[in-house]
Amino acid sequence: MSVNRTTVANEESAVAGPPAAGPVNAMPPEAKVRARPAERTDMVGKALGLLVLLGDEPRGASAAEISRRAELPFSTTYRLLGSLTRDGFVDYEPDGRRYHLGLRIFQLGQRVSNHHGFAGTAMPILRRVTEQTGEATILSVRDGLHHLTVSKVDGPQTFRVTSDPGHLGSLSTTAVGKALVAFAEDGERERLLAELPLEALTARSITDRGAFRAEIEEARRRGYAVMDEENEAGMRAVAVPVLNSQGHAFASLATAVPVFRLGLEELEAHVPVLQDAAAELAARLPQRG
């Protein structure tokens, strides 16, 4: 991939603006030395920001798109992407001229998962749940205003659930997300109820704040949360919290099915299986949250 140097230079000039008046070497040498570590730290932060942005783009994004979203000069974005690509944190697709998260990110994610016990401890439990239900089992944790899928076992059916490990999803439109909100610490739950974006991902998504609060209160009352085509048309799910020693959710466990295979009542019949598995996960996984 080549870059038009004139274009880059023009973009840099347009962003930076005209040079300031005054002598070129107005900054004392010792001030320049002190500034270098801060500049390097700033560039590290910008590079990490690009990785976060790419994490929200499952189909990848062009350098120009990333530059706009990051609000960085194209030349800066292009140089950072080149460094990240060289080190394996980002992959470049020449045909579509798009960047994707690289294998190095996956490897680091796997190490984090292993460190927290999800891979070694959770997967056998998830597999057992899937054997009992015949459907996909998903384990998620909260990541800010989203849920993060950390482990998943597909069911034996040909219809596959698309929420793979690493997927960031809505807290308000998913069963795992609602369970995480419903069983969060009291103050945090109230903050989420007041501030959480209520996205309309389907015609059935809850976008009214009062209605969402009622949904969360109902989930707390019955001990589990449901999603009925609110996140994706044709899919429904039921989720239970994985509780720490203070009774707050540090993860949630769900069974997800296509609507043509199970009705809501049939799906809710799997709740006891999920609750038993959640209790085992709570006893085995590190307590946090």
Side-chain angles (χ1 to χ4, degrees):
M1 181 176 180
S2 61
V3 177
N4 185 304
R5 296 183 181 275
T6 303
T7 301
V8 169
N10 290 340
E11 290 185 5
E12 285 182 311
S13 298
V15 174
V24 173
N25 294 319
M27 182 183 291
E30 62 272 15
K32 292 181 182 179
V33 172
R34 287 197 301 269
R36 286 170 191 159
E39 290 169 0
R40 286 197 293 270
T41 302
D42 187 50
M43 293 306 289
V44 170
K46 289 175 181 176
L48 292 173
L50 298 187
L51 293 176
V52 172
L53 289 176
L54 280 173
D56 292 332
E57 298 289 346
R59 292 182 295 275
S62 69
E65 291 168 341
I66 298 168
S67 172
R68 284 193 296 271
R69 287 196 59 195
E71 298 181 351
L72 292 174
F74 178 83
S75 56
T76 300
T77 303
Y78 185 71
R79 285 197 301 271
L80 289 172
L81 287 172
S83 297
L84 292 169
T85 301
R86 184 181 62 248
D87 293 336
F89 292 103
V90 169
D91 287 338
Y92 176 63
E93 175 194 333
D95 291 343
R97 295 186 178 181
R98 302 183 77 77
Y99 292 86
H100 306 261
L101 290 181
L103 183 60
R104 190 85 180 271
I105 293 293
F106 174 77
Q107 291 169 336
L108 291 174
Q110 290 296 102
R111 290 175 186 173
V112 172
S113 179
N114 289 334
H115 174 71
H116 287 297
F118 285 111
T121 302
M123 285 303 290
I125 298 173
L126 268 62
R127 291 191 189 102
R128 190 172 68 243
V129 172
T130 291
E131 288 171 4
Q132 293 177 269
T133 65
E135 304 294 347
T137 307
I138 300 167
L139 180 67
S140 288
V141 297
R142 187 160 71 87
D143 184 359
L145 297 180
H146 297 84
H147 78 81
L148 171 68
T149 301
V150 292
S151 297
K152 185 190 75 165
V153 175
D154 282 313
Q157 310 285 353
T158 55
F159 194 94
R160 183 175 176 276
V161 175
T162 56
S163 182
D164 290 319
H167 169 75
L168 279 175
S170 167
L171 286 176
S172 66
T173 64
T174 59
V176 287
K178 291 178 191 177
L180 289 167
V181 174
F183 295 92
E185 185 274 332
D186 292 350
E188 183 66 5
R189 182 174 66 255
E190 286 302 315
R191 185 185 73 82
L192 291 170
L193 287 171
E195 300 177 6
L196 191 66
L198 301 181
E199 307 167 274
L201 299 184
T202 75
R204 303 191 67 165
S205 300
I206 299 174
T207 56
D208 177 79
R209 203 158 292 279
F212 183 65
R213 177 179 287 274
E215 178 83 357
I216 294 302
E217 290 174 354
E218 176 66 10
R220 284 181 60 78
R221 184 191 65 77
R222 63 192 174 194
Y224 63 89
V226 298
M227 180 279 291
D228 195 10
E229 298 191 86
E230 298 155 55
N231 188 68
E232 183 179 353
M235 294 297 298
R236 58 173 53 109
V238 62
V240 302
V242 181
L243 303 174
N244 64 16
S245 56
Q246 288 76 45
H248 304 139
F250 68 88
S252 61
L253 187 66
T255 293
V257 301
V259 296
F260 65 80
R261 198 148 64 221
L262 285 183
L264 195 55
E265 289 186 6
E266 296 171 298
L267 179 59
E268 288 174 323
H270 292 313
V271 166
V273 173
L274 288 170
Q275 289 174 328
D276 287 346
E280 187 174 354
L281 287 168
R284 293 173 176 268
L285 291 174
Q287 298 277 304
R288 58 192 168 281

